[in-house]
């Protein structure tokens, strides 16, 4: 009996619920795939870009100069470089070696079109104008005796967090600059000057830990502590800024663990024990009953401070990138597709940071280089696949002084990678006259075959058998499915519970659009 399977891309990967209790169209494991356009798609990989980096890169920021030429600011721990026009130029402040550290690296952003960098050990830096011949300098008008753990732009202001003033640390302090005139940086940080809009506030009324990060959200700058979340809104006049607590029990894991998305109308946040999104109102968990406990168990307890979030705008995704236990740098990304509301996972190669920007390069196949068949070839023809107006992701790998351009090619830095999706604990056994799928965990069934609707390159099909709800799972490779040629894969085995896995390690993409297992009950059910 053919069983018409529910929408296979609807629920994504769910880890924290027993497999046999899940809806049939949820998946229990996977790597290197996306749930997209009602199908399961093998994700693209990444390739090295900006070759020849002269320093171990830890942090990146993209900007355009006044001629609309692309620049990548590449920050090591002690030195900073500009990558533009195909080469690197050092732009470190003259006669300086910075003191950035691996657990905190750098932070900052673009104030107008002026890059501002901060590492917590040196005075904040600025790069104006953006040009290879321009060196970084200390941020103009920054107080001589101050250091800040975080400095971030918000509209025409700069926010400084967790500040050391004259040798005394104020870990709850938020200091906001006077607004900067267009094309310049703030003229004052003096909150005692009544002619300026400078503001300082210690968020110490809540037991929320230290101030860790901030990010704009529409008219608000959201400030995150370890266990609480606050907003600041500029109102002008004598009061200058309005601020209050948003969440008094929810904060952030560490700096870099928040990113805006949806035209800056939402925040994606790793709170420390959950991944949420919010619009300055009630938070929504992405992981409740989908993988919260699994994430807590696999996040490295010793290097978690090196985690970060990034927005993959082109694919409608937010990534939480984190080191797993035993890893020094992030080796896995939890990927939330906010268009589909699905969770997947992809492997990372010890990246310290990923930033969005423009990587202009002509890519794609030519007649001489293309080795795929017409049916399997999904790559473009010699064209700009990532034009300058589309933001794409570039990551830094400090242990190899490399940069990776994500969602490029079908390989991972020149090597094939394993992509797979699997589900165990399936108990579908038949269909009622009304088309409703019948589920039964106790009855035996005969798995005759599985029909697959797919396109692209071939992939392997594995089938699992299981005799008890929490019993051992036995996998067997049933062969290779070739889209356009095959319609089904024969199985021919008896079991109570069963599972399926689709995987490949070849340099080619595929998409699964639908499934239809053929199952025969053995006895009454």
């Amino acid at each position: 009996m053919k069983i018409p399977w529910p929408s296979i891309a609807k629920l994504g990967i769910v880890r924290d619920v027993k497999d046999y209790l899940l809806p049939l169209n949820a998946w229990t494991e996977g790597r290197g795939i996306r749930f997209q356009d009602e199908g399961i798609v093998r994700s693209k990989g990444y390739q090295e870009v900006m070759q020849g980096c002269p320093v171990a890169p830890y942090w990146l920021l993209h900007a355009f100069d006044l001629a609309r030429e692309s620049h990548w600011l590449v920050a090591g721990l002690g030195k900073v470089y500009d990558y533009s026009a195909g080469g690197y130029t050092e732009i470190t402040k003259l006669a300086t070696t910075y003191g950035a550290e691996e657990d905190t690296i750098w932070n900052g952003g673009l104030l107008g079109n002026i890059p501002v960098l901060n590492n917590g050990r040196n005075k904040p830096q600025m790069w104006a104008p953006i040009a290879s011949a321009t060196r970084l300098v200390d941020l103009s008008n920054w107080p001589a005796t101050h250091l800040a753990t975080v400095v971030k732009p918000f509209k025409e202001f700069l926010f400084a967090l967790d500040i050391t003033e004259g040798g005394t640390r104020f870990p709850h302090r938020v200091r906001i600059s006077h607004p900067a005139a267009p094309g310049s940086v703030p003229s004052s940080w003096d909150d005692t000057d009544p002619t300026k809009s400078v503001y300082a506030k210690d968020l110490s009324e809540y037991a929320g830990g230290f101030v860790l990060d901030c990010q704009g959200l529409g008219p608000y700058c959201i400030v995150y502590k370890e266990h609480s979340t606050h907003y600041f809104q500029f109102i002008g006049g004598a009061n200058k800024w309005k601020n209050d607590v948003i969440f008094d029990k929810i904060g952030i894991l560490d700096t870099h663990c928040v990113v805006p998305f949806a035209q800056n109308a939402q925040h994606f946040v790793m709170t420390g024990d959950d991944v949420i999104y919010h619009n300055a109102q009630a938070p929504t968990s992405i992981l409740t009953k989908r993988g919260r406990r699994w994430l807590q168990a696999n996040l490295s307890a010793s290097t978690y401070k090196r985690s970060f979030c990034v927005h993959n705008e082109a694919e409608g995704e937010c990534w939480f990138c984190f080191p797993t236990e035993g890893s020094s740098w992030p080796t896995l990304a939890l990927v939330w597709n906010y268009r589909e509301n699905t969770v997947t996972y992809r492997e990372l190669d010890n990246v310290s940071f990923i930033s969005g920007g423009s990587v202009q390069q002509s890519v794609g196949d030519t007649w001489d280089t293309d080795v795929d068949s017409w049916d399997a070839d999904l790559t473009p023809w010699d064209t700009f696949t990532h034009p300058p107006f589309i933001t794409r992701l570039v990551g830094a790998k400090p242990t190899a002084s490399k940069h990776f351009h994500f969602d490029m090619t079908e390989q991972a830095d020149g090597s094939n990678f394993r992509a797979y999706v699997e589900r165990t604990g399936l108990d579908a056994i038949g269909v009622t006259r009304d088309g409703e799928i019948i589920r039964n965990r106790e009855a035996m069934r005969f798995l005759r075959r599985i029909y697959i609707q797919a396109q692209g390159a071939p992939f392997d099909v594995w089938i699992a058998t299981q005799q008890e709800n929490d019993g051992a799972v036995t996998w067997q490779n049933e062969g290779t499915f070739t889209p356009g040629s095959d319609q089904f894969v024969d199985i021919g085995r008896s079991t109570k519970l069963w599972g399926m896995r689709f995987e490949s390690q070849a340099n080619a993409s595929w998409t699964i659009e639908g499934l239809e297992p053929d199952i025969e009950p053995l006895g009454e059910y």
Side-chain angles (χ1 to χ4, degrees):
M1 177 188 301
K2 283 187 179 181
I3 299 178
W5 216 248
S7 300
I8 63 171
K10 185 176 181 180
L11 297 179
I13 296 173
V14 181
R15 293 182 178 275
D16 282 354
V17 179
K18 291 283 189 179
D19 51 6
Y20 52 82
L21 298 177
L22 287 171
L24 297 176
N25 53 351
W27 300 83
T28 49
E29 183 58 278
R31 293 282 195 281
I33 54 95
R34 286 186 166 109
F35 299 97
Q36 193 174 68
D37 299 328
E38 299 186 0
I40 302 171
V41 182
R42 184 184 190 272
S43 297
K44 287 187 174 296
Y46 54 88
Q47 66 181 27
E48 187 180 2
V49 291
M50 298 159 43
Q51 290 92 339
C53 186
V55 66
Y58 285 84
W59 189 78
L60 297 160
L61 181 66
H62 181 262
F64 288 105
D65 62 24
L66 294 179
R68 292 294 294 166
E69 295 298 325
S70 176
H71 292 258
W72 282 91
L73 192 153
V74 177
L77 297 181
K79 300 292 183 179
V80 179
Y81 286 79
D82 165 48
Y83 179 85
S84 59
Y88 287 91
T89 304
E90 185 177 351
I91 59 171
T92 309
K93 177 186 172 183
L94 287 172
T96 298
T97 297
Y98 297 118
E101 298 178 351
E102 288 187 330
D103 280 348
T104 53
I105 56 173
W106 294 79
N107 53 76
L110 294 175
L111 178 66
N113 197 44
I114 299 176
V116 175
L117 298 78
N118 181 67
N119 62 35
R121 299 294 180 268
N122 304 95
K123 292 181 180 179
Q125 302 290 286
M126 57 184 282
W127 192 28
I130 298 172
S132 295
T134 304
R135 290 276 187 158
L136 295 173
V137 296
D138 291 345
L139 179 66
S140 299
N141 308 310
W142 177 260
T145 62
H146 290 193
L147 291 174
T149 301
V150 174
V151 175
K152 289 276 192 77
F154 170 69
K155 298 186 181 294
E156 64 268 38
F157 303 91
L158 284 175
F159 273 59
L161 314 177
D162 185 0
I163 305 170
T164 298
E165 302 181 3
T168 302
R169 186 178 182 184
F170 299 91
H172 307 283
R173 182 159 296 178
V174 177
R175 184 174 287 277
I176 309 172
S177 72
H178 187 69
S184 66
V185 297
S187 60
S188 177
W189 290 85
D190 184 2
D191 59 309
T192 65
D193 186 346
T195 68
K196 304 297 184 183
S197 296
V198 180
Y199 186 78
K201 170 76 172 181
D202 285 304
L203 300 177
S204 55
E205 65 270 37
Y206 291 91
F210 292 0
V211 178
L212 293 175
D213 209 342
C214 66
Q215 194 67 252
L217 182 65
Y220 308 110
C221 185
I222 309 300
V223 174
Y224 293 91
K225 300 184 72 177
E226 291 176 276
H227 304 294
S228 63
T229 304
H230 307 251
Y231 80 87
F232 284 76
Q233 182 181 19
F234 183 65
I235 56 176
N239 293 326
K240 303 177 183 178
W241 288 83
K242 178 182 178 182
N243 74 278
D244 204 349
V245 66
I246 301 174
F247 312 128
D248 60 1
K249 301 295 184 183
I250 299 173
I252 194 172
L253 177 67
D254 215 293
T255 308
H256 302 304
C257 288
V258 55
V259 68
F261 69 99
Q263 288 76 51
N264 204 34
Q266 302 270 2
H267 276 187
F268 174 84
V269 188
M270 172 55 181
T271 69
D273 62 359
D274 199 1
V275 180
I276 67 168
Y277 67 94
H278 72 90
N279 61 354
Q281 297 184 31
T284 300
S285 171
I286 292 165
L287 289 184
T288 298
K289 296 184 178 180
R290 286 205 284 194
R292 185 174 174 180
R293 292 193 303 273
W294 180 91
L295 180 59
Q296 292 174 16
N298 285 272
L299 177 64
S300 171
S302 58
T303 56
Y304 72 90
K305 287 180 174 292
R306 300 176 182 181
S307 304
F308 61 89
C309 294
V310 64
H311 180 205
N312 188 359
E313 182 180 7
E315 301 294 341
E317 298 171 340
C318 291
W319 299 9
F320 171 58
C321 307
F322 61 98
T324 53
E325 203 61 58
S327 300
S328 296
W329 295 101
T331 53
L332 199 62
L334 180 152
V335 179
W336 177 54
N337 186 312
Y338 53 82
R339 296 171 185 163
E340 310 283 349
N341 192 24
T342 56
V343 171
T344 57
Y345 299 82
R346 68 177 296 159
E347 294 179 349
L348 301 173
D349 188 6
N350 292 284
V351 293
S352 58
F353 197 72
I354 299 175
S355 183
S358 172
V359 181
Q360 301 176 42
Q361 57 186 42
S362 181
V363 298
D365 291 334
T366 65
W367 283 110
D368 291 334
T369 62
D370 197 346
V371 297
D372 293 325
S373 67
W374 283 107
D375 290 336
D377 195 353
L378 300 179
T379 54
W381 287 104
D382 194 24
T383 184
F384 283 102
T385 58
H386 296 173
F389 49 83
I390 294 180
T391 297
R392 289 289 181 171
L393 300 185
V394 175
K397 181 181 179 181
T399 56
S401 295
K402 282 185 174 184
H403 294 101
F404 296 134
H405 188 187
F406 287 90
D407 289 323
M408 290 292 298
T409 78
E410 307 298 338
Q411 294 183 304
D413 193 22
S415 299
N416 291 348
F417 67 92
R418 182 189 181 209
Y420 70 99
V421 62
E422 73 178 42
R423 169 62 193 269
T424 55
L426 291 169
D427 58 0
I429 198 168
V431 183
T432 67
R433 292 181 179 180
D434 297 329
E436 182 179 350
I437 297 177
I438 302 171
R439 303 181 62 171
N440 189 310
R441 297 201 298 268
E442 303 302 325
M444 292 292 292
R445 70 213 70 207
F446 182 72
L447 306 178
R448 182 174 286 109
R449 61 180 48 156
I450 183 168
Y451 291 83
I452 305 171
Q453 296 83 51
Q455 60 175 309
F459 52 85
D460 290 336
V461 178
W462 292 71
I463 296 296
T465 54
Q466 184 179 357
Q467 301 305 324
E468 302 295 338
N469 289 345
D470 294 303
V473 177
T474 302
W475 289 97
Q476 180 172 314
N477 190 338
E478 306 296 340
T480 299
F481 183 88
T482 303
S485 175
D486 298 332
Q487 293 183 331
F488 57 82
V489 171
D490 281 320
I491 302 171
R493 280 184 290 146
S494 308
T495 187
K496 282 187 177 180
L497 301 177
W498 59 286
M500 51 187 169
R501 180 196 300 149
F502 308 102
E503 72 170 278
S504 73
Q505 200 155 355
N507 177 15
S509 60
W510 42 264
T511 300
I512 299 175
E513 298 165 333
L515 301 169
E516 201 171 23
D518 188 350
I519 298 174
E520 187 69 28
L522 298 178
E524 297 184 3
Y525 62 92

